[in-house]
Amino acid sequence: MTDTLHQPGLQSLAKSFEPAPLEAHWGPEWERRGYGAAGFRGTGAPQAGAPSFAIQLPPPNVTGTLHMGHAFNQTIMDSLTRYHRMAGANTVWVPGTDHAGIATQIVVERQLQAQGISRHDMGPTPAEARKNFVAKVWEWKEQSGNTITTQMRRMGDSVDWGREYFTMDEKLSTVVTETFVRLYEQGLIYRGKRLVNWDPVLKTAVSDLEVESEEEEGFLWHIRYPLSDGSGSVVVATTRPETMLGDTAVMVHPEDERYTALIGKTVKLPLCERDIPVIADAYVDREFGTGVVKVTPAHDTNDYAVGQRHKLPIIGVLTLDAAINDNAPAKYRGMDRFVARKAVVADLEAAGLLVETKKHKLMVPRCARTGQVIEPMLTDQWFVAMQSKGNEKNTSGTSIADKAIAAVQSGEVTFVPENWVNTYNQWMNNIQDWCISRQLWWGHQIPAWYDEAGNVIVARNEAEAQAKAPGRTLTRDPDVLDTWYSSALVPFSTMGWPNQTDSSTDDYNLYLPSSVLVTGYDIIFFWVARMIMMTTHFTGRVPFRHVYIHGLVRDAQGHKMSKSEGNVLDPVDLIDGIALAPLLEKRTTGLRKPETAPKVRKQTEKEFPDGIPAYGADALRFTFAALASLGRSINFDSKRCEGYRNFCNKLWNATRFTLMNCEGHDCGLQEHTKAECAVGQPFHGYLSFSQADRWISSVLQKVEAEVARGFAEYRLDNVANAIYDFVWNEFCDWYLEIAKVQIQTGDAAQQRATRRTLIRTLEAILRLAHPVIPFITEELWQKVAPVAGLPGESVSIARYPESQPNKIDEAAIAHVVKLKALVDACRTLRGEMSVSPATRLPLYAVGDADFMRAAGPVLQALAKLSEVRVFEDEAAWAAAAQAAPVAVVGEARLCLFMEIDVAAEKTRLGKEAARLEGEIGKATAKLSNEAFVAKAPPAVIDQEKKRVADFSATLSKVREQLARLSA
């Protein structure tokens, strides 16, 4: 195949569409030629005066594999990038991968566990063990960490691979350190003790995004807390009795009349014999349990806030590995939290303080990486201050959060769809300080050192730290930064900051802000907001102009795709195909509930009885694009892929037909002919364009405008649907059929015009569709463009079609609309008469004689007629038609002549008359409605009047035919 790929014409084009060899060739070939390189149309250099289009890839985890969300997201980004590259912008799509601190560390630690060792065993000292472990992670990254970028290439992503970054690269790591030091010097980074999400197995803080809360069956324990003065007791409801050992209050609603007399008193904390106060706070839900809740500030986020408001002591009773610590009674010390839960419940029951136990469904937070139940834990962490209020160390002026809020309020950053700005503002207006430290070994180690007295020295490196603390022994902070910290910097860390220049060709000035960020709504806060905060703070610019928020990809039934649920689709399987047996194995491995395997197998066998066929990357991309409605989640049905693979096959066959009829023929491409055929004035010399030629060219102009509008509005569904409808319904179903007739029956000038229109329209289609379906369009364009007189290196860097409204011929459009109506009417008559399409009947027509004669040859071919006979005299037509079925199209009346059942035809016409009377009645009722007439735009009223007139004219003709049959 590679021997013929660059040869134009039909002989080098395979007889059938097979996506695999196209993808295997063109993906590496595009990369070899450097078409994805930043700059003007793949040149690798910017062009002065050209607009810029830049886009950042949300960096996937280096541990990851391509999932449906990635494939959807990247289809959108690549389509936009290819479009703007072809449209003449200085274009760059920056790829990269995230070091994914927790995920990557877990992968390597599990490998070590399989060898019977832990990371702590990798050296004689903790420092040596850490150094060797980090080296091991780098080794894994180099061997196995590029799976997802290989899979991105399978999708045809035209990124600038020369700019690919890894968030632990030296260049980006330098920026991470620089920003940390600057924020610390500005008083915006500090170390403090706060409540964080804590994984007791990893022994690290984790972000909210890494916490998945699922409803689980549990219990609600009702516990009696005696009043200290012996006057009674209160009953407290809790789902976590083991944490009562750290209670520092019980709480009621201030307006709950049942307990107002108890506010200010104290109760004895069971099992601990400490007195704790009864406080009032509006946070309490009076309907939950008994309306009395315990307050454990050290182990509950909401309780921590209550504790801050009421200045309660904070007593932590759990160690970092979730065992009971020395703040609890001796009996429970050292117990695992869940063992302690059972012991506490048993002791309460023995003491007569357990009132009742009820089954209760509750949301349990678990770490997405380990599956462990997350503990709110009070630990020392590093934070970025989001607000300047109350922060006397802040020397930077406006707070980080305020700048980010202002960037959106001013319109510098806009959300698409715009309703997501409400979500953004809600989060930003209630933002808390950002915990940026993690207790891991893999990641950017925090650039802070401690002297013997515990004083903190923040510096860019150890030498600088030592210079700030001469003569003191320094120890580096072992923590690393949150993965989201480094990814929040990529809009400017990948563009040369802080070493940018003032040159207009500097990346920093060409591509910051980038044009659009394409992402799912689940990371608006974790990534989008933080990029806006960090970029505006450090550069004074916004990171991007637009934020295109797309929905999530769900299965065909609308359920979230999850490996643990066994309903995941692998994009590579949709591209390459997969047999049923390996598909079943993939879907039943890693289930959250192994007992659901039979159900998963049954559903998979029902959905994919023969496995998944190979649809190819183009069909998958077209499916994603067609489903990309703004903000809506996608219910992905693989059958849609089959439909778009059929589209690719139709485009392939249309190309074969076009080349068969154009290659080696005079296609009217000589330069002197360009001005010889003005709209509406056919030139009957060298070229003679038909109304159909002008029609397809006119519709193409409208489609080009619609596609451009779709890209501008991030409506890839509109782009895909416009291209699909034009190619399938207009070009293939109508124009190709008309072109066959024109080539067979036309004179030399008409044939040249038809061939020119065929090849030029197809060439424009291939450029138009290329951003969405790049592989097939590249392969076909290589064959078509030279025949169309438009040779070039690649469709990837060809000029994108631009609509030329002056080429729209409305008369030609009206002509073909009428022709279609005639063909449809003939097909309808044939269906009503139950006549096989293979049986050719004569068409007798009266009215609109000039049009009928002009359209006759095409109408005869498309409607499969034996002849088209036009009558000037209605009486003669009626006599010839006798009692044949009649259809009315505008001013023309048509019949397919054959002997008919008069009674059946009268019944048919009677039904048609009744339908028309109903339509007239509905339209007349609207026009008689004063409220409708008062509110409706004039154009709508005129449309209704026209409907009444058209329906009335048609009804008159139907009644005439009925009368004739009844005579």
Side-chain angles (χ1 to χ4, degrees):
M1 178 177 173
T2 53
D3 294 333
T4 62
L5 272 169
H6 305 300
Q7 298 175 14
L10 181 64
Q11 293 304 313
S12 63
L13 186 63
K15 289 185 178 180
S16 60
F17 168 59
E18 292 297 336
L22 310 188
E23 295 166 15
H25 175 82
W26 283 113
E29 183 65 16
W30 288 325
E31 190 171 343
R32 185 188 69 78
R33 296 185 188 183
Y35 291 155
F40 182 77
R41 288 193 180 139
T43 60
Q47 177 167 292
S52 292
F53 178 83
I55 194 166
Q56 291 275 354
L57 175 77
N61 288 352
V62 71
T63 58
T65 56
L66 193 76
H67 59 59
M68 293 294 279
H70 292 134
F72 177 44
N73 179 270
Q74 290 167 22
T75 294
I76 295 170
M77 286 187 284
D78 190 54
S79 298
L80 289 168
T81 301
R82 287 179 181 272
Y83 166 73
H84 285 282
R85 181 182 296 123
M86 294 175 71
N90 292 319
T91 305
V92 65
W93 181 12
V94 182
T97 50
D98 193 284
H99 66 277
I102 291 177
T104 308
Q105 181 157 321
I106 287 175
V107 168
V108 178
E109 284 205 68
R110 285 175 178 166
Q111 290 180 347
L112 295 176
Q113 288 167 5
Q115 301 169 27
I117 60 175
S118 77
R119 58 187 163 109
H120 301 284
D121 301 325
M122 296 191 69
T125 66
E128 283 294 313
R130 179 172 185 153
K131 179 181 177 182
N132 293 336
F133 176 77
V134 169
K136 185 73 175 175
V137 179
W138 274 106
E139 179 183 318
W140 174 88
K141 186 263 178 187
E142 295 304 319
Q143 292 175 352
S144 308
N146 298 319
T147 300
I148 196 162
T149 54
T150 301
Q151 291 172 326
M152 284 176 62
R153 288 170 165 89
R154 294 298 313 278
M155 290 293 296
D157 292 349
S158 60
V159 302
D160 186 346
W161 289 111
R163 291 171 178 261
E164 183 181 359
Y165 65 83
F166 178 54
T167 50
M168 287 282 286
D169 287 345
E170 182 179 355
K171 184 175 78 171
L172 270 67
S173 295
T174 300
V175 176
V176 167
T177 300
E178 182 64 27
T179 57
F180 186 99
V181 173
R182 292 192 188 189
L183 288 171
Y184 182 80
E185 290 173 346
Q186 293 166 0
L188 292 173
I189 279 184
Y190 65 93
R191 185 167 171 79
K193 191 180 287 288
R194 295 285 179 86
L195 212 59
V196 296
N197 298 317
W198 185 264
D199 185 314
V201 171
L202 291 175
K203 295 186 181 64
T204 182
V206 296
S207 74
D208 288 343
L209 193 64
E210 289 156 327
V211 178
E212 295 180 348
S213 293
E214 295 186 359
E215 187 175 75
E216 298 182 14
E217 294 288 345
F219 296 94
L220 188 63
W221 287 274
H222 291 242
I223 304 167
R224 190 178 306 281
Y225 283 50
L227 289 164
S228 300
D229 61 11
S231 60
S233 63
V234 294
V235 176
V236 171
T238 182
T239 58
R240 302 194 61 203
E242 71 280 7
T243 62
M244 68 178 292
L245 304 175
D247 286 359
T248 56
V250 294
M251 177 168 56
V252 299
H253 194 282
E255 297 175 3
D256 193 335
E257 296 177 356
R258 294 173 295 175
Y259 303 114
T260 51
L262 301 180
I263 297 170
K265 291 190 174 186
T266 61
V267 296
K268 285 198 174 294
L269 180 61
L271 309 181
C272 296
E273 298 306 316
R274 281 190 284 111
D275 288 335
I276 58 176
V278 179
I279 64 172
D281 196 288
Y283 168 73
V284 176
D285 179 0
R286 285 176 279 186
E287 305 304 317
F288 178 77
T290 62
V292 184
V293 294
K294 65 192 202 63
V295 184
T296 319
H299 297 292
D300 182 274
T301 304
N302 295 312
D303 287 3
Y304 180 80
V306 170
Q308 295 293 296
R309 287 197 294 272
H310 294 269
K311 296 183 172 53
L312 297 175
I314 299 174
I315 302 174
V317 293
L318 292 176
T319 61
L320 296 181
D321 56 358
I324 304 299
N325 67 17
D326 291 347
N327 290 332
K331 175 179 179 178
Y332 307 108
R333 295 172 189 170
M335 288 184 180
D336 175 79
R337 54 183 164 167
F338 299 120
V339 174
R341 176 178 296 178
K342 293 179 180 177
V344 166
V345 169
D347 289 346
L348 288 169
E349 188 169 23
L353 296 175
L354 185 63
V355 178
E356 64 176 326
T357 303
K358 292 182 178 180
K359 286 188 176 180
H360 180 70
K361 289 184 177 179
L362 68 159
M363 299 302 291
V364 178
R366 293 183 179 273
C367 178
R369 304 293 178 187
T370 64
Q372 292 297 312
V373 175
I374 291 295
E375 281 293 343
M377 193 75 74
L378 198 64
T379 56
D380 288 312
Q381 302 288 347
W382 288 89
F383 295 87
V384 177
M386 295 288 100
Q387 300 290 355
S388 56
K389 184 179 179 181
N391 181 10
E392 67 280 356
K393 293 182 179 180
N394 178 15
T395 61
S396 66
T398 307
S399 75
I400 291 177
D402 288 342
K403 293 174 186 175
I405 292 170
V408 173
Q409 286 179 340
S410 68
E412 285 188 275
V413 176
T414 59
F415 281 78
V416 180
E418 62 182 359
N419 60 287
W420 285 108
V421 73
N422 299 324
T423 302
Y424 174 84
N425 286 334
Q426 183 179 7
W427 282 338
M428 293 303 299
N429 289 324
N430 295 281
I431 197 168
Q432 301 296 314
D433 288 355
W434 174 15
C435 175
I436 56 171
S437 49
R438 299 290 183 265
Q439 290 64 53
L440 302 170
W441 284 2
W442 173 244
H444 296 102
Q445 192 169 354
I446 288 175
W449 286 259
Y450 303 93
D451 64 12
E452 304 93 324
N455 297 308
V456 179
I457 297 94
V458 171
R460 290 166 180 80
N461 50 55
E462 189 169 1
E464 183 179 298
Q466 199 65 67
K468 290 182 176 182
R472 286 181 269 173
T473 301
L474 300 181
T475 303
R476 188 165 185 178
D477 192 307
D479 289 356
V480 300
L481 286 165
D482 176 14
T483 294
W484 293 101
Y485 185 93
S486 52
S487 60
L489 309 178
V490 295
F492 57 97
S493 65
T494 58
M495 293 299 160
W497 188 93
N499 301 313
Q500 71 273 14
T501 71
D502 293 331
S503 169
S504 61
T505 59
D506 190 289
D507 286 348
Y508 185 83
N509 296 314
L510 272 175
Y511 304 125
L512 181 71
S514 63
S515 307
V516 60
L517 177 75
V518 181
T519 187
Y521 60 75
D522 51 337
I523 57 172
I524 290 178
F525 178 70
F526 295 98
W527 193 43
V528 178
R530 287 168 178 168
M531 281 193 288
I532 297 174
M533 287 190 285
M534 297 298 258
T535 308
T536 54
H537 182 76
F538 283 106
T539 72
R541 304 182 184 186
V542 293
F544 28 72
R545 297 296 186 193
H546 302 141
V547 183
Y548 170 29
I549 303 293
H550 59 70
L552 303 183
V553 182
R554 302 182 180 275
D555 70 11
Q557 288 72 43
H559 302 135
K560 180 182 178 182
M561 285 193 185
S562 167
K563 188 174 181 180
S564 64
E565 297 297 327
N567 65 343
V568 165
L569 282 172
D570 184 336
V572 177
D573 290 342
L574 290 164
I575 294 172
D576 292 340
I578 185 173
L580 179 60
L583 178 62
L584 288 170
E585 183 178 354
K586 287 178 76 169
R587 286 193 149 195
T588 54
T589 301
L591 292 173
R592 185 168 58 89
K593 297 178 180 178
E595 64 270 18
T596 63
K599 180 181 177 182
V600 171
R601 290 181 65 89
K602 184 177 180 181
Q603 177 62 33
T604 302
E605 288 168 347
K606 179 181 177 183
E607 193 173 356
F608 306 106
D610 301 314
I612 299 175
Y615 295 117
D618 285 327
L620 179 59
R621 288 171 61 114
F622 211 150
T623 305
F624 279 131
L627 293 171
S629 299
L630 288 182
R632 297 178 186 172
S633 289
I634 288 177
N635 293 352
F636 190 91
D637 186 346
S638 63
K639 293 183 178 62
R640 292 289 294 267
C641 284
E642 183 177 348
Y644 291 112
R645 194 192 190 285
N646 291 341
F647 172 88
C648 292
N649 196 59
K650 196 167 185 88
L651 181 59
W652 189 273
N653 291 337
T655 301
R656 286 186 58 79
F657 169 84
T658 301
L659 290 173
M660 197 179 302
N661 283 279
C662 295
E663 188 180 15
H665 296 278
D666 182 356
C667 294
L669 300 176
Q670 280 82 342
E671 195 67 26
H672 73 275
T673 68
K674 287 186 176 180
E676 294 180 354
C677 299
V679 169
Q681 297 179 17
F683 175 69
H684 294 290
Y686 181 71
L687 289 171
S688 180
F689 289 103
S690 70
Q691 292 286 59
D693 298 331
R694 297 181 184 283
W695 160 75
I696 196 68
S697 298
S698 298
V699 177
L700 175 61
Q701 303 309 315
K702 294 190 174 187
V703 171
E704 287 171 355
E706 188 176 352
V707 167
R709 185 164 55 251
F711 276 118
E713 297 173 352
Y714 304 110
R715 291 299 304 267
L716 258 73
D717 53 337
N718 292 346
V719 170
N721 294 332
I723 293 170
Y724 183 99
D725 181 67
F726 177 71
V727 172
W728 191 293
N729 297 327
E730 308 292 8
F731 184 69
C732 292
D733 282 1
W734 287 100
Y735 184 69
L736 293 189
E737 298 303 316
I738 294 171
K740 289 178 187 177
V741 180
Q742 294 182 169
I743 290 173
Q744 290 168 1
T745 64
D747 60 26
Q750 291 168 335
Q751 290 175 347
R752 277 191 290 268
T754 300
R755 290 190 175 105
R756 179 188 174 101
T757 304
L758 261 178
I759 198 71
R760 283 291 179 89
T761 302
L762 176 60
E763 190 277 336
I765 284 171
L766 297 175
R767 282 184 287 132
L768 197 68
H770 178 74
V772 180
I773 45 174
F775 293 105
I776 186 174
T777 50
E778 180 71 88
E779 175 70 4
L780 296 180
W781 191 86
Q782 295 288 334
K783 320 298 183 187
V784 169
V787 180
L790 300 166
E793 287 184 28
S794 167
V795 69
S796 298
I797 55 173
R799 180 184 58 80
Y800 199 73
E802 290 184 50
S803 176
Q804 300 177 65
N806 62 304
K807 289 189 175 182
I808 296 174
D809 186 339
E810 295 294 349
I813 292 173
H815 177 94
V816 175
V817 168
K818 188 184 292 186
L819 174 64
K820 287 182 178 182
L822 289 169
V823 173
D824 289 341
C826 292
R827 290 170 178 171
T828 300
L829 284 173
R830 186 185 292 275
E832 291 178 358
M833 296 163 64
S834 300
V835 177
S836 165
T839 303
R840 293 183 176 267
L841 299 174
L843 176 71
Y844 293 174
V846 66
D848 207 359
D850 291 342
F851 182 88
M852 295 300 302
R853 288 193 181 91
V858 173
L859 178 58
Q860 182 176 336
L862 270 58
K864 299 185 185 304
L865 305 170
S866 60
E867 66 170 316
V868 176
R869 185 175 174 187
V870 181
F871 290 78
E872 296 287 351
D873 180 70
E874 187 166 338
W877 171 78
Q882 298 179 5
V886 174
V888 180
V889 178
E891 298 176 5
R893 278 182 285 177
L894 320 170
C895 72
L896 294 178
F897 179 73
M898 67 179 295
E899 295 297 333
I900 63 162
D901 182 333
V902 173
E905 178 63 5
K906 287 170 70 176
T907 300
R908 186 187 74 82
L909 289 170
K911 289 180 179 178
E912 177 65 5
R915 183 188 73 81
L916 291 168
E917 287 167 352
E919 295 292 346
I920 293 169
K922 284 190 285 186
T924 302
K926 283 186 178 179
L927 293 171
S928 301
N929 185 326
E930 293 182 3
F932 170 79
V933 173
K935 293 180 181 178
V940 173
I941 295 173
D942 290 343
Q943 182 182 15
E944 290 301 319
K945 289 179 179 178
K946 186 176 185 303
R947 281 164 57 85
V948 171
D950 291 347
F951 286 138
S952 297
T954 303
L955 178 60
S956 175
K957 292 171 183 176
V958 168
R959 283 175 174 166
E960 287 177 19
Q961 178 65 8
L962 263 173
R964 193 161 57 82
L965 288 174
S966 301

